[in-house]
């Protein structure tokens, strides 16, 4: 099999395409292993679809599946275009629904799924939290110092609310984010759906404009825009390498 590794703002994925739609969770555990495999936050298999350019099967590094991953949509779109599976403007099916992406060089923009508020702001463990589904559920708290990010608290909150956990800081209408992700069970360098969740919370509080820059832990710059009721997520992706594995 031929696999390609991509990085999208520090969030890395192993991607391949196949005609065979099946459970690739065990492959995800092996290939995403950072000591004995390729090493990645997730595995994505692209399979044929009658309703879109293709369909994706997405797995976290622990083999669990996820409906949506913002950074992966950008990496997958670039992969699909580069491998002739779709034109530069494409539609593909995820567990969260139909995704539209556009590729321009190494810059990819994705129209995100419609967000759903799961729980209005609530207090817990000294922070004010907001729970929203941006393809997958995310807890968001806005802080004045990202050093307040607490791994043990994130792990606790992740299991109590079955959600990813985000700490966001607003600085001159720019958002900086640290995210603990389910499936990885730790902090990642970037999380697209998490950054979108933080943007929506900050935008609701009038702390940022309808178009703003967002910086994850990797330090890479991304743009999130709100146009009418649609959310667009834009940034660079990088193809790391392609390899064949027996």
């Amino acid at each position: 099999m031929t696999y390609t590794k991509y990085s999208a703002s520090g969030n890395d994925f192993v991607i391949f395409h196949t005609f065979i739609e099946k459970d690739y969770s065990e492959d995800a555990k092996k290939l995403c292993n950072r000591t004995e495999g390729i090493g990645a936050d997730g595995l994505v298999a692209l399979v044929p679809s009658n309703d879109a350019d293709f369909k994706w099967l997405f797995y976290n590094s622990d083999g669990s599946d996820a409906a949506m991953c913002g950074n992966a949509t950008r990496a997958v779109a670039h992969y699909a275009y580069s491998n002739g599976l779709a034109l530069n403007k494409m539609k593909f099916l995820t567990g969260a629904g139909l995704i539209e992406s556009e590729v321009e060089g190494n810059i990819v923009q994705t129209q995100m799924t419609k967000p759903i508020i799961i729980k209005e702001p609530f207090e817990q463990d000294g922070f004010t939290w907001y729970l929203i589904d941006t393809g997958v559920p995310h807890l968001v708290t806005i802080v004045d110092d990202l050093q307040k990010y607490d791994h043990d608290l994130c792990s606790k909150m992740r299991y109590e609310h079955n959600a990813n956990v985000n700490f966001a800081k607003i600085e001159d209408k720019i958002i900086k984010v640290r995210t603990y992700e389910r499936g990885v069970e730790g902090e990642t360098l970037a999380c697209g759906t998490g950054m979108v969740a933080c943007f929506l919370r900050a935008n609701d509080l009038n702390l940022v404009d309808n178009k703003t820059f967002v910086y994850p832990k990797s330090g890479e710059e991304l743009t999130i825009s709100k146009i009418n009721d649609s959310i667009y997520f834009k940034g660079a992706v990088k193809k790391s390498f392609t390899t064949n594995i027996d």
Side-chain angles (χ1 to χ4, degrees):
M1 291 290 293
T2 300
Y3 301 95
T4 300
K5 180 170 177 175
Y6 266 85
S7 174
S9 309
N11 216 182
D12 53 351
F13 309 96
V14 175
I15 306 172
F16 70 101
H17 60 280
T18 176
F19 286 105
I20 302 172
E21 182 173 348
K22 66 172 189 175
D23 182 359
Y24 289 100
S25 57
E26 290 302 315
D27 299 79
K29 293 177 186 178
K30 294 175 183 177
L31 292 168
C32 293
N33 187 295
R34 294 193 183 276
T35 55
E36 298 180 352
I38 293 174
D41 293 322
L43 173 73
V44 193
L46 279 58
V47 297
S49 170
N50 293 325
D51 303 311
D53 291 299
F54 57 89
K55 173 184 176 181
W56 88 0
L57 307 175
F58 183 92
Y59 302 90
N60 293 309
S61 59
D62 67 354
S64 61
D65 59 350
M68 175 61 173
C69 175
N71 285 319
T73 62
R74 298 187 298 110
V76 161
H78 194 279
Y79 174 93
Y81 176 64
S82 299
N83 285 275
L85 304 178
L87 300 177
N88 73 309
K89 293 183 179 181
M90 68 191 74
K91 296 180 180 181
F92 55 96
L93 286 174
T94 71
L98 193 67
I99 296 296
E100 296 185 22
S101 292
E102 182 175 355
V103 180
E104 295 181 2
N106 71 325
I107 305 296
V108 183
Q109 176 172 277
T110 290
Q111 182 176 356
M112 303 295 285
T113 56
K114 186 176 179 62
I116 301 170
I117 297 174
I118 301 173
K119 189 174 183 179
E120 294 293 346
F122 63 97
E123 301 292 324
Q124 185 173 337
D125 293 292
F127 296 95
T128 300
W129 301 94
Y130 180 74
L131 183 55
I132 185 171
D133 190 317
T134 51
V136 291
H138 279 275
L139 283 161
V140 174
T141 186
I142 296 177
V143 295
D144 57 3
D145 185 354
L146 284 180
Q147 293 303 314
K148 291 183 177 179
Y149 175 94
D150 185 310
H151 175 88
D152 292 336
L153 174 60
C154 287
S155 178
K156 171 178 171 285
M157 297 287 290
R158 170 262 189 271
Y159 283 103
E160 285 187 16
H161 299 275
N162 191 28
N164 299 309
V165 185
N166 303 269
F167 281 68
K169 179 182 178 181
I170 315 301
E171 201 171 84
D172 298 325
K173 293 195 172 183
I174 291 173
I175 308 173
K176 295 182 179 180
V177 181
R178 294 182 66 177
T179 303
Y180 179 103
E181 286 199 59
R182 300 181 309 176
V184 177
E185 304 311 331
E187 184 178 10
T188 54
L189 292 177
C191 175
T193 50
M195 285 184 276
V196 169
C198 292
F199 164 80
L200 289 168
R201 177 59 175 156
N203 186 254
D204 284 346
L205 294 173
N206 295 315
L207 298 176
V208 297
D209 298 326
N210 285 343
K211 181 178 181 180
T212 190
F213 293 118
V214 183
Y215 295 87
K217 188 177 181 181
S218 68
E220 295 188 33
E221 182 180 274
L222 297 110
T223 305
I224 300 179
S225 305
K226 181 179 180 181
I227 303 174
N228 298 322
D229 291 328
S230 298
I231 305 296
Y232 296 88
F233 179 52
K234 184 176 183 179
V237 301
K238 178 184 178 182
K239 176 183 173 181
S240 301
F241 59 82
T242 296
T243 185
N244 293 318
I245 299 178
D246 293 332

